[in-house]
Amino acid sequence: MYTAKKDEINAIKIEYDYRKNNNFDVEYINEDNNKFSFDLKAGILSKNGGAEIDPYKFTHELLNISQNNGLKVYENTEIIDLKYYKDYIEVITEFGNIVKAKKVIVATGYNTKLFTNRNFATKTTTFNIATKPVKNFDGWYEKVLIRDNCDPYNYLRTTFDNRIIIGGEDVDFVPDIFDEQLANKKYDILENRLKNMFNNIKDIEVDHKYCGTFASTLDNLGFIGEDTKHNNLWYNLGYGANGILFVILGGMMLSKLYHGEKDKDMRLFKVDRFDN
Ligand SMILES: Cc1cc2nc3c(=O)[nH]c(=O)nc-3n(C[C@H](O)[C@H](O)[C@H](O)COP(=O)(O)OP(=O)(O)OC[C@H]3O[C@@H](n4cnc5c(N)ncnc54)[C@H](O)[C@@H]3O)c2cc1C
């Protein structure tokens, strides 16, 4: 994480101190020890905190292991309705089959209309380009994951086959998917930004362009826990820029809850925290 703006040096320093004091493995970088080819006034180099996996293989492995422990998986089966009873809920599938459950956990991402009228979040659309494989990464220290401190922020990573992905230029709405003019403008900005940041990488050539929508909340946290009306209906919704992290935490917290133990941090993710 870094900034190219002088007036943000202090904010980065404060964030660095927080991480350092909480035992994260971090190094403070600035203009004097800049390890990158782009302008950097202050930054935090975080170490030993990340890993790279194939999400498709990972998900299948999780499902395999869970199936060996009794999980039943029904693919391509949309839930179209829920019927609430005192001690259980009936889940109606699009094919008419009914699953009777003591607890239902809604983990349907941004699609919650079926379960509640609550407006959980605002939608943001983010844009990405992926390059063809490049020959070198001169000016990119250890191919680390990069994000700046801009609002909206830009994020950059490399792939195992030596491509670069840069994303950002977020807009706070869901554009018409046919609005190619807007999308192309965003892709051009990202391409120019990438070439300016890494002018030692001479063979940057765009291969893919795409955009995606994610949902954010006022405090950037997701929703984990019980519905306020139906206590057998639980939510695990990964909203905010770190939604993946929140659904993992949600999985852990809701398993505990099922076994009768309430994680004290669940209060941060309360479903009704924005009411009133
Ligand atoms: C471009 C982009 C970049 C992102 N970058 C990051 C990042 O760097 N870090 C991070 O932590 N997060 C990031 N996110 C956010 C992250 O992807 C989400 O927060 C996360 O995937 C949400 O997980 P989830 O399990 O709640 O929902 P999802 O992954 O959306 O899964 C919901 C599932 O429910 C299914 N479903 C929906 N309705 C029904 C129904 N009625 N019946 C049956 N099934 C249904 C859907 O088909 C889907 O499979 C990003 C998102 C986008 C779009």
Side-chain angles (χ1 to χ4, degrees):
M1 180 188 187
Y2 80 98
T3 182
K5 295 181 194 136
K6 261 193 181 146
D7 58 3
E8 288 179 358
I9 293 177
N10 205 30
I12 297 281
K13 186 74 182 42
I14 291 170
E15 177 68 23
Y16 167 77
D17 287 338
Y18 269 127
R19 294 191 193 186
K20 184 86 189 156
N21 294 335
N22 285 285
N23 301 321
F24 287 94
D25 189 356
V26 282
E27 182 186 337
Y28 182 73
I29 51 175
N30 58 22
E31 272 180 314
D32 300 331
N33 63 356
N34 184 0
K35 299 166 193 275
F36 302 89
S37 58
F38 51 87
D39 187 27
L40 176 156
K41 294 284 183 276
I44 307 166
L45 204 55
S46 301
K47 301 169 192 176
N48 298 314
E52 194 170 320
I53 54 165
D54 179 329
Y56 183 80
K57 282 189 185 161
F58 177 67
T59 307
H60 275 263
E61 197 53 31
L62 282 181
L63 291 175
N64 280 341
I65 292 169
S66 304
Q67 276 178 307
N68 290 339
N69 285 319
L71 177 79
K72 289 184 183 157
V73 177
Y74 300 95
E75 285 180 281
N76 301 320
T77 307
E78 193 184 343
I79 306 305
I80 54 161
D81 202 7
L82 295 184
K83 289 209 163 76
Y84 302 96
Y85 297 91
K86 191 169 169 284
D87 297 320
Y88 63 95
I89 298 177
E90 277 184 357
V91 180
I92 321 293
T93 71
E94 60 178 323
F95 308 111
N97 304 76
I98 295 174
V99 181
K100 198 171 154 184
K102 279 192 213 152
K103 301 281 176 205
V104 168
I105 299 178
V106 179
T108 51
Y110 312 147
N111 181 21
T112 50
K113 284 217 163 61
L114 188 64
F115 315 100
T116 174
N117 292 326
R118 204 177 279 278
N119 183 16
F120 278 116
T122 55
K123 299 229 166 78
T124 302
T125 301
T126 186
F127 298 83
N128 292 79
I129 56 172
T131 69
K132 291 186 175 165
V134 294
K135 288 202 183 68
N136 67 71
F137 286 94
D138 288 355
W140 193 324
Y141 177 71
E142 300 218 330
K143 298 202 279 182
V144 293
L145 207 73
I146 300 172
R147 66 156 282 187
D148 62 24
N149 200 36
C150 298
D151 185 15
Y153 64 85
N154 298 283
Y155 45 98
L156 297 95
R157 58 162 296 177
T158 60
T159 66
F160 71 95
D161 61 346
N162 292 336
R163 295 167 192 270
I164 299 171
I165 300 175
I166 175 171
E169 286 303 307
D170 301 7
V171 290
D172 285 335
F173 56 92
V174 185
D176 182 341
I177 53 165
F178 298 111
D179 187 352
E180 290 198 13
Q181 211 181 351
L182 172 78
N184 283 331
K185 201 172 114 195
K186 301 291 188 182
Y187 300 138
D188 287 347
I189 295 173
L190 291 171
E191 182 180 351
N192 286 333
R193 182 167 300 136
L194 179 62
K195 286 179 173 166
N196 284 332
M197 287 174 75
F198 294 102
N199 48 19
N200 296 327
I201 307 176
K202 303 286 183 205
D203 55 344
I204 291 175
E205 212 180 316
V206 178
D207 205 10
H208 302 282
K209 307 169 179 187
Y210 50 93
C211 57
T213 298
F214 62 92
S216 308
T217 55
L218 285 175
D219 56 10
N220 253 321
L221 301 177
F223 295 94
I224 301 165
E226 293 156 307
D227 184 69
T228 44
K229 262 205 333 242
H230 306 286
N231 65 344
N232 293 321
L233 183 71
W234 295 359
Y235 296 98
N236 188 12
L237 303 172
Y239 292 169
N242 297 311
I244 296 168
L245 173 68
F246 298 137
V247 285
I248 294 170
L249 290 176
M252 287 159 32
M253 290 173 177
L254 294 179
S255 327
K256 273 192 189 172
L257 191 65
Y258 189 75
H259 289 106
E261 192 190 334
K262 198 156 189 170
D263 191 308
K264 68 175 174 28
D265 289 337
M266 247 177 70
R267 73 192 194 288
L268 300 171
F269 302 96
K270 273 173 76 151
V271 170
D272 58 349
R273 68 183 183 276
F274 296 124
D275 290 1
N276 304 322

